[in-house]
Amino acid sequence: MSESNLNSFVPVTAVAKKIANSKLVQETRNLFFYQLQHQKDKDSFADYVIIVRTKALNKLSGLEKEAHKTKLEETCRKVLTRLNLAGLKFEVRRGAEDLIFIFVLCPLKRLKEEVDRSRVNDWLVGVRIRDIDDDSSGSDPTLTDAERLRLVHDIITNPRQENGAGINPGLEDFELVECFLPLHDRNYNEDWIKTWSTKWIIDKNDLLLLRNHFGEKIAYYFAFLQYYCEWLIIPSIAGLLTYFFSENYSITFGLFIVLWSIIFTEFWRRKEYELAVWWGVRNFSRVEKRRAGFREESKIISHITGELVPYFSPWKRWLRRAFAAPIIIIFSLTLSLALLFYILFEVIMSEYYTGPFRNQLIYLPTITYCALVPALNVIYIQIAKKLNEYENYETESSYEFNLTQKIFVANFLIGYLSIFFIGWVYIPFNEEIGYFFQSFFDLFGLSFTIKNVGSERLVTELKYFILTAQIMSLFMELILPYLLRFGTFGVKKIQKNETKDGSKNEDESAFLKRVRREVKLPVYDVYEDYVEMISQYGYVSLFSVIWPLTPVFALINNWIELRSDAIKLCEHTRRPIPSRADSIGPWLDNLSLLTWLSSITNPSIIYLYHPDTKGFTSSSGVIFTIVLVWFSEHIFGVVRYIVQQMLAAFPTATDALVQKEEYELKKRWLEKAGVSTVSPSDSDLQEKKEDSKWFQNDDRIEDLEDVLREILRELKEE
Amino acid sequence: MSESNLNSFVPVTAVAKKIANSKLVQETRNLFFYQLQHQKDKDSFADYVIIVRTKALNKLSGLEKEAHKTKLEETCRKVLTRLNLAGLKFEVRRGAEDLIFIFVLCPLKRLKEEVDRSRVNDWLVGVRIRDIDDDSSGSDPTLTDAERLRLVHDIITNPRQENGAGINPGLEDFELVECFLPLHDRNYNEDWIKTWSTKWIIDKNDLLLLRNHFGEKIAYYFAFLQYYCEWLIIPSIAGLLTYFFSENYSITFGLFIVLWSIIFTEFWRRKEYELAVWWGVRNFSRVEKRRAGFREESKIISHITGELVPYFSPWKRWLRRAFAAPIIIIFSLTLSLALLFYILFEVIMSEYYTGPFRNQLIYLPTITYCALVPALNVIYIQIAKKLNEYENYETESSYEFNLTQKIFVANFLIGYLSIFFIGWVYIPFNEEIGYFFQSFFDLFGLSFTIKNVGSERLVTELKYFILTAQIMSLFMELILPYLLRFGTFGVKKIQKNETKDGSKNEDESAFLKRVRREVKLPVYDVYEDYVEMISQYGYVSLFSVIWPLTPVFALINNWIELRSDAIKLCEHTRRPIPSRADSIGPWLDNLSLLTWLSSITNPSIIYLYHPDTKGFTSSSGVIFTIVLVWFSEHIFGVVRYIVQQMLAAFPTATDALVQKEEYELKKRWLEKAGVSTVSPSDSDLQEKKEDSKWFQNDDRIEDLEDVLREILRELKEE
């Protein structure tokens, strides 16, 4: 785009004409211009787009319409007033029939203020170690995209008392504000996808670039995925060897997998910490601010600051948790029952039932499943969200932690229950179940055949989850969105031409069109991606002894997933608002939990299915399995303790980095405090010279020598 | 003591005469005088007494004698030179035939320097939160006795590079230096014992006084003992109720005890942290210095400071640990076998054997035990110390942690193995064991009676440990030292008169006599005291379901123990060198371990012995016990998790304190950094006024109102 074109970029709509010559527009245009010149990207017109959504006016009655319009005007005015008070620049545009776009840009001066404030704050609580006015290490690290967006987001959402605009979408006065949307940086996205898809291994620097652009929270997911992917190589090789050269249900492979799981989990814990240091987010949770959705019970005078602060009694939260827990448990049981019903139904239809319409009825379980389970899951998620909201957590991370743990219960059941049922109940008690259903079917006079099911059924089930489910999910994530969008675009084509966006300028129009497109995309939810990976880790660590190729296919899937998730993030979702994180949070706990479970599943699977034991054929099998599991769990505990201790004994390079920065700070401060850190000169340390010097004061030498000599003489006399 | 007396306090021995008028003595006398005036205690002549021990000269050959004398002279000179270089004052006296006393006193100026250095250091690493130059909270807390002694000890032991004297008893050039001895403060000790023995409950301030005098490490022991003692009231009441009103092996009481153990452990963890904050030792481990006994493998250039630092490869340490572990295990097994042998032997003699000499032979097991087990234990401790030294830990606390854990294994076996054996093997398999021994005895033609042993045997065993053992230990700790000292004093009386102490002045002579007496006392080892308490906690949490009066007697014992330990510390041991601690360290882990074990013992005892189940009579009892234990352990894990989470939800008053100090520091710093923390004035926050103000610049208002109105108008038209 040439500069003349840029200068001609003046809104020329009916509205715009009027204000084209006013100061504000001049200023804003300069602002845009500045951005265009510096970012070399014609799309970066704003840091954020605040989306205000109006109701469909034609569906409202007269009175409602008026009320809504008044509310809309009030909201918009309030947003603009607040943004102005917070020192931000903005432009308003009609986005679509039901959308108003408020483009927000943070002037450099205001941004610098916020950067300073935030860095001082970080330094004080130990997130940042390097001294604020320490310029010894060169210039300040440049402000990354992610930090800029995070800080601007802070300015918009921070309460007025902290010089923010205090705008929180969907809350109180801002009910009509839908969200804040940072716009995708197309150049970055193209580069990203290009780099990653042409590289075998994603390295440290790739992740740093990602973190600089999307923030630590997103970067942690990709870092974890990459790390996990690398670590999968080891069990993949072991799996291949076992598959081709060893017996089924190999004890060695089982032990190996449990050990691998322990070591991987502990190494990731270490890696995670290293990343936190490297990315400068260690201890970040100490500066985490209050969640916007937090509802205070009352305001109390803080013992700490002496100011009025919102307060919610922890007792009350625990009461609410105690109230929520049974609901979660009941719902998990319902879900479990539904799943068990499906599994049994499927088993009956595919294995036992030989009556009429068999060929048609065989699809019935799958249909029931598709109709029932996703619906139940959606309901469950809704309930979990409500309960979590009700429990009223104070910070975003504690809110997220508890929500994740609640929802993960459902994912856990859907992902593993059928394998547990088939492996530990259905196959071991195959005959008993067969007889039970025979008598049941006989009651209704339906024809029935008892079929003996062996361990191959378990392998089939696992293969389904590893192969079919992974391909399905890839399709759902990557290809379906294209198809869906193509579909809706086709339908909406006619409407689109009518869209009034208050701009007939080509560039502006193209830009607004792009914003509209991005608004239509779903929000990126890192939860979905984590749950997929952690579930897969579960298959590898819990069940790969059943089918040793599991890690191999997981490895292949993850290699693709790493790239396809990048495409998904760029193409199929809105750009996420960057936020900090110093860990993968609840997922680390889930990782540990699954690792612990692997110490239960592996020995029991091997005991039940190994050709030499065939544990499930004897009647005391159940008891012996528990005894075995008891020992296995304790051995697991000991091994994990040793691994943890060993890792703790080896400081990482990052530890040295932290210590070095702390040491330098310490030195500077000791100097400032007037305490000398200069070591005594070498000559002082020379013991030989000491002897000849004795004391500085000559008188004293004589005296002391005398006392000493006298004592020694006495001793010698003895 | 009158002042004239003080002035007459001049050494008048042959040696002293010569130097009486020299500068040094004048100065030193002033120093003594200063101390006498300020501390109002004629005994506080010195901060430390450095004890140099000579070998018994008359037992050495001529050459050895000379060599030893030379070495002795070198050592003394080196000590004095170093002390002088470090800025300390000192006096030398002949202590006894084989002792040289070097009295060390730290001048106020030097002490102040060290206090500053240490406090700046503490502040930098976060042990101390309050800003160094923050005088808002009044004057600096006064220097406590404990801190003074700790810092002087630091000066003496710190390497020359850090302006210390670099004297480490028993190491390198200081092989003949036996130890540093701080002298007891008699006034304090008298007050302490008087206060505690006339008080029912030891409160926070009593503990603070204790910490101020003896340092945090000792204070933590007494704090734990007091806290544990208070908490014992709850199970004592429950125990009494159960004993008198409930059946034996009550399920309710068992559950209650496990729950109590969990809650107590977690509350102590919290209390411990509170104390650490209150005593100002939080995070103290970050400033812990290198252990004097640490042997470097090589010197490497530190990545952190760029200086040469001693280095020992963690790999090597792990190799050494891997080498030590089997030795520990083999020795534990030996000890276990010895213990089992004793138990079986005792059982056979008391229950089965009816042959000749029964009345005499019945004491044989106890004699064997007394001869064998303490000896084995002493050997074990020696081996453990050697191994621990070999593992070469870098800090005192990691050294102590690992040593404690090694030695605790033996204490655990001696304390609990017999109960485990009787409860889980001997009684359940009573008949089988009986038959086995019958056939064995028949072989030798000895007469033998099979007696059925019931659960009362278990109660007897537990009662022995709770009653007999506790009374024994009290006797050993408190009364035996008096007797022993009386004995040795009697014997040494003649020798004593001959003691040459280079002082015929009455005061000095009395003082030196006292020092000699204190040198003769054993070193106070807090390990012994902890092990007693933690073992007792084990009886309460693991076994009190067998005999519900266990907590009652533990409570009574501890109430006395708390006072008797005070007497022991004052009268029967040397004054310990104060050191910092921010936890009871390894004992907390042992506490957790015993709590976890209680979730195994309680259900299995109840299952095996409850009148309704009598688990051990059925053949599948063993298996079922394991299954029960398996479930119990998992329930335990969940309950503990919930308790931990609940506690974490409630911030303590101390947390508020820390946060408050951090907040104040933060505020000060934000101000220093020039970032305003002043909230926007109230008028800014008035939403109503905002509306009327809109923007400061009038032009802009018009413009924006126009854009907004246009958009709203368009919307209205729809």
Side-chain angles (χ1 to χ4, degrees), chain A residues 36 41-46 183-184 186 511 514:
Chain A
L36 288 165
D41 172 12
K42 64 170 185 172
D43 296 334
S44 296
F45 289 109
L183 295 175
H184 271 297
R186 283 180 181 177
F511 174 64
R514 210 194 110 205

Side-chain angles (χ1 to χ4, degrees), chain B residues 445-506:
Chain B
L446 294 163
S447 72
F448 185 84
T449 325
I450 286 193
K451 230 198 249 174
N452 271 326
V453 177
S455 58
E456 70 291 343
R457 181 69 185 76
L458 191 58
V459 180
T460 317
E461 189 72 18
L462 183 63
K463 274 184 188 162
Y464 162 76
F465 279 106
I466 291 297
L467 298 178
T468 327
Q470 283 188 350
I471 291 169
M472 278 288 287
S473 111
L474 207 64
F475 169 79
M476 299 271 279
E477 272 183 11
L478 215 62
I479 306 181
L480 195 66
Y482 277 120
L483 298 179
L484 277 179
R485 227 180 305 152
F486 185 75
T488 48
F489 280 167
V491 174
K492 291 208 173 170
K493 207 131 224 177
I494 314 148
Q495 277 174 286
K496 215 174 166 185
N497 288 334
E498 290 177 288
T499 302
K500 289 169 189 167
D501 50 19
S503 141
K504 292 206 169 62
N505 173 294
E506 212 175 284

Side-chain angles (χ1 to χ4, degrees), chain B residues 44-88:
Chain B
S44 296
F45 289 108
D47 289 325
Y48 281 94
V49 186
I50 299 182
I51 313 285
V52 181
R53 189 177 286 273
T54 70
K55 285 187 198 163
L57 286 173
N58 46 5
K59 279 176 197 162
L60 295 176
S61 71
L63 267 174
E64 281 172 338
K65 216 177 207 169
E66 279 318 300
H68 185 65
K69 276 176 190 168
T70 320
K71 195 173 172 188
L72 193 66
E73 190 178 344
E74 269 172 17
T75 304
C76 286
R77 282 188 178 215
K78 196 153 206 167
V79 169
L80 297 183
T81 318
R82 290 285 190 91
L83 288 175
N84 188 54
L85 282 172
L88 298 170

